[in-house]
Amino acid sequence: MPEVTPVRAACIILAAGSGSRLGAEVPKAFALLAGEPLLAHAVRKLLASQTIDQLVVVAPPDWLGQAEKVAAAMAAGQASVRMSVVVGGAERQDSVAAGLEALADDVQIVLVHDAARCLAPPSLVVRVADAVGAGHAAVVPGLPVADTIKRVAGSPGGRERVAETVDRNELRIAQTPQGFDRSTLVSAHTAAREQSAQVLTPLVERFGAAGAAAALAPLYTDDAEMAELVTDVVIVPGDPLAFKITSAQDLAYAEWVLSRER
Ligand code: CTP
Ligand code: MG
């Protein structure tokens, strides 16, 4: 029988944010949930999917050692999974770029996951990786929107006005892990950087480097948005357990979810 080269999958797990909205004394990925850092929960769920060959944790510079400890503890007994920890950047996009640099040569499928979505279940990880394996270059887990959504038009100083009611059947809440064919994700990041540079030059002239960076910061809040510049992005069903821990209330909810799971 001819030897089949297995398709290798890696996950970049983003833990380099500060967690300003959570307001804990430590970066959000190191806040404790049932006595363990969010990062540890996230890594455990990813490993339980048994679809990941390499895990790259992206950590804040001052938390590299802690992240290495968590990674080493979780890697015990998982000899087949390559683990590494790298330093992240100022924006989520920069942290993903740092993770991309650490990918092993033979990796073809790349998942990008928020450590803050630490209860995303193994079945979701498998669903996303399988969709990429089946030939979709960019895959996002999406959930339907329960609320009615209004688009508003700003009126400076006055009340906002409803410009329109958006058809919620056309909307999805985007979660992570998001999955990509490796070269597509790399081109998406390059395209995004080029686009940012085009927008940046006039902004720097007007507002200076710091002002321009602040203006650009919210440009890309997920990887799929960058991928949309270069390819079709498909949706697979998301999972309510992949909610993002943003506020203290979300952390309390996660505690409750875990207590029911155990
Ligand atoms: N993240 C990252 N590097 C950054 C910013 C964010 O790795 N420069 C990661 C966070 O650690 C998190 C995920 O991206 O797992 C989603 O970001 P978010 O929920 O916004 O986390 P924070 O930026 O840490 O939180 P906040 O926006 O409240 O400060
Ligand atoms: Mg943030």
Side-chain angles (χ1 to χ4, degrees):
M1 266 211 340
E3 207 173 293
V4 183
T5 314
V7 174
R8 297 286 180 192
C11 183
I12 297 172
I13 171 155
L14 298 170
S18 63
S20 54
R21 288 168 290 178
L22 182 62
E25 278 170 8
V26 297
K28 183 160 71 181
F30 299 89
L32 297 183
L33 167 60
E36 284 184 308
L38 299 193
L39 176 62
H41 291 279
V43 171
R44 180 179 295 120
K45 298 280 186 196
L46 284 164
L47 292 175
S49 74
Q50 301 197 319
T51 49
I52 308 293
D53 303 291
Q54 184 190 13
L55 227 150
V56 179
V57 176
V58 188
D62 294 345
W63 288 77
L64 208 58
Q66 280 301 113
E68 275 163 358
K69 267 190 209 155
V70 171
M74 304 311 288
Q78 297 270 352
S80 63
V81 180
R82 283 166 286 183
M83 285 271 198
S84 48
V85 180
V86 299
V87 176
E91 299 299 332
R92 188 183 183 284
Q93 190 179 340
D94 306 319
S95 294
V96 178
L100 284 174
E101 294 293 319
L103 292 179
D105 288 345
D106 59 352
V107 162
Q108 285 162 271
I109 295 176
V110 183
L111 306 191
V112 182
H113 189 35
D114 295 334
R117 297 180 192 272
C118 63
L119 298 184
S123 57
L124 180 63
V125 180
V126 172
R127 185 146 72 236
V128 171
D130 279 358
V132 182
H136 297 292
V139 177
V140 178
L143 284 181
V145 175
D147 295 300
T148 297
I149 306 284
K150 309 285 185 191
R151 189 190 309 281
V152 294
S155 67
R159 286 190 196 283
E160 288 177 332
R161 302 269 161 189
V162 173
E164 65 167 326
T165 299
V166 184
D167 179 4
R168 70 180 176 209
N169 292 315
E170 291 183 355
L171 301 178
R172 296 292 176 268
I173 294 167
Q175 301 183 310
T176 76
Q178 299 185 349
F180 306 90
D181 156 65
R182 178 185 186 155
S183 60
T184 302
L185 184 57
V186 171
S187 344
H189 271 255
T190 308
R193 252 196 307 275
E194 281 165 6
Q195 211 193 49
S196 302
Q198 278 175 16
V199 183
L200 195 64
T201 312
L203 283 177
V204 171
E205 282 166 10
R206 230 176 123 190
F207 304 112
L216 273 182
L219 206 53
Y220 296 101
T221 52
D222 75 355
D223 296 275
E225 191 180 347
M226 290 182 249
E228 286 157 34
L229 299 171
V230 298
T231 189
D232 281 342
V233 179
V234 302
I235 300 276
V236 295
D239 192 304
L241 288 172
F243 68 95
K244 193 172 75 164
I245 295 177
T246 303
S247 63
Q249 196 181 334
D250 301 328
L251 190 57
Y253 174 65
E255 291 276 3
W256 178 80
V257 170
L258 264 190
S259 70
R260 293 201 22 145
E261 211 173 82
R262 280 171 178 176

